[in-house]
Amino acid sequence: MKRIVLFSISIIASIFLINPDLFGQNEEEIPKIKIFGVGMHIEQFNTVDIWMVGITTVPVNKIVFTISPIKNFRLEPEIGFSSFNDRTTDLSYKSLNIGIGGFGMYQLGKTNFYGGLRFEYADMANEYVQSSSGNGVVVGTEKTTRLEIGPALGAEYFFGSHFSLGGEIGLRHMNIKTNGEQYSGSTNEKKYFTSNMGILLRFYF
C-alpha cells in the first residue's frame, strides 16, 4: 500500500513539474501564503516500526487544517481516525489521533520552508480473545493512550496559488500507556524516541 501511495504521488508531482503552467501561473509569479488551508498528512513512515512490532506506535493518515494568521507563522491542527475488523474473529481495533503543530516559516520563491513543534494525542482500543471455551469466546479490550511531541522541519512547493506538495521530517518522543494489557490485564507504560517522516498535500483558500 505504501508503495502504491508513493508511486501515485510521484506521478502527480512529475506531471506538475513537467507542466509548470498547469494552473496558469508563470515562473515569475510568487504565490502568497494564504490564511486558511486544508490537506492530507500521509504519515506512514516511522523508524520505530522497523525494530519493534507494535500497533500502538503506528501512525495514521490525518486531515490537516492550516492557519497562517501572519506571514511567518503557522498553526496546523490535525485529526485522524483508523478502524478495522478482523473478518475471522470479528475483533476490532480503533484509533483516534488529534494533534497540533506550531511553525515559523520562510518563503523563498515558490518554496515555503517551516520548522517548529508537533504534538499529538492518540487514543486506541484493541480487542483480543481473552479466553475460549465451549460456552463461547470472552473478548478483552486493551486500551492505550499515546502522547508524543517533537521538532519537525518541512518544505512545500506551490503549484499555482492554491495547491502545494511537501515533505516533512522530525523527531518524536512517545509516552505510551496501556491499560488492560493482553492476557495479563496489567498496566504498562513505555517511552520511545524515534524519527518520522511524512508527505503533505495542502489546498489553500
Side-chain angles (χ1 to χ4, degrees), residues 14-71:
S14 299
I15 292 173
F16 284 116
L17 291 173
I18 294 171
N19 300 278
D21 296 323
L22 194 60
F23 283 93
Q25 176 188 22
N26 59 51
E27 295 183 0
E28 287 73 29
E29 293 177 343
I30 297 176
K32 180 181 178 181
I33 300 295
K34 292 180 169 51
I35 297 176
F36 299 108
V38 65
M40 176 68 71
H41 189 177
I42 304 170
E43 192 186 12
Q44 293 290 347
F45 320 99
N46 268 10
T47 56
V48 70
D49 301 327
I50 297 174
W51 56 271
M52 186 193 72
V53 179
I55 199 167
T56 57
T57 66
V58 177
V60 301
N61 298 329
K62 295 179 281 290
I63 298 173
V64 298
F65 302 92
T66 300
I67 306 169
S68 304
I70 58 177
K71 181 180 179 181

Side-chain angles (χ1 to χ4, degrees), residues 32-37 64-77 100-105 107 112-118 154-156 158 164 168 200 202 204:
K32 180 181 178 181
I33 300 295
K34 292 180 169 51
I35 297 176
F36 299 108
V64 298
F65 302 92
T66 300
I67 306 169
S68 304
I70 58 177
K71 181 180 179 181
N72 297 318
F73 180 73
R74 166 181 292 172
L75 284 174
E76 198 162 64
I100 190 169
F103 306 100
M105 299 188 297
Q107 186 175 2
N112 183 39
F113 299 92
Y114 62 89
L117 286 175
R118 280 197 183 277
E156 60 182 330
F158 283 87
S164 75
E168 185 177 300
L200 290 105
R202 297 181 177 96
Y204 295 93

Side-chain angles (χ1 to χ4, degrees), residues 73-117:
F73 180 73
R74 166 181 292 172
L75 284 174
E76 198 162 64
E78 55 184 9
I79 184 169
F81 179 76
S82 176
S83 176
F84 64 83
N85 284 77
D86 188 302
R87 293 183 179 180
T88 303
T89 62
D90 200 34
L91 299 176
S92 68
Y93 167 80
K94 295 180 181 179
S95 171
L96 175 65
N97 299 60
I98 301 173
I100 190 169
F103 306 100
M105 299 188 297
Y106 176 73
Q107 186 175 2
L108 184 62
K110 296 181 181 180
T111 304
N112 183 39
F113 299 92
Y114 62 89
L117 286 175

Side-chain angles (χ1 to χ4, degrees), residues 98-167:
I98 301 173
I100 190 169
F103 306 100
M105 299 188 297
Y106 176 73
Q107 186 175 2
L108 184 62
K110 296 181 181 180
T111 304
N112 183 39
F113 299 92
Y114 62 89
L117 286 175
R118 280 197 183 277
F119 170 83
E120 183 177 300
Y121 169 81
D123 186 86
M124 294 159 276
N126 184 33
E127 292 183 341
Y128 64 96
V129 177
Q130 194 171 36
S131 63
S132 178
S133 65
N135 296 326
V137 173
V138 177
V139 176
T141 302
E142 181 182 74
K143 296 184 178 181
T144 302
T145 57
R146 185 182 73 220
L147 291 173
E148 55 182 278
I149 188 171
L153 293 173
E156 60 182 330
Y157 185 84
F158 283 87
F159 300 97
S161 58
H162 296 280
F163 177 76
S164 75
L165 172 63

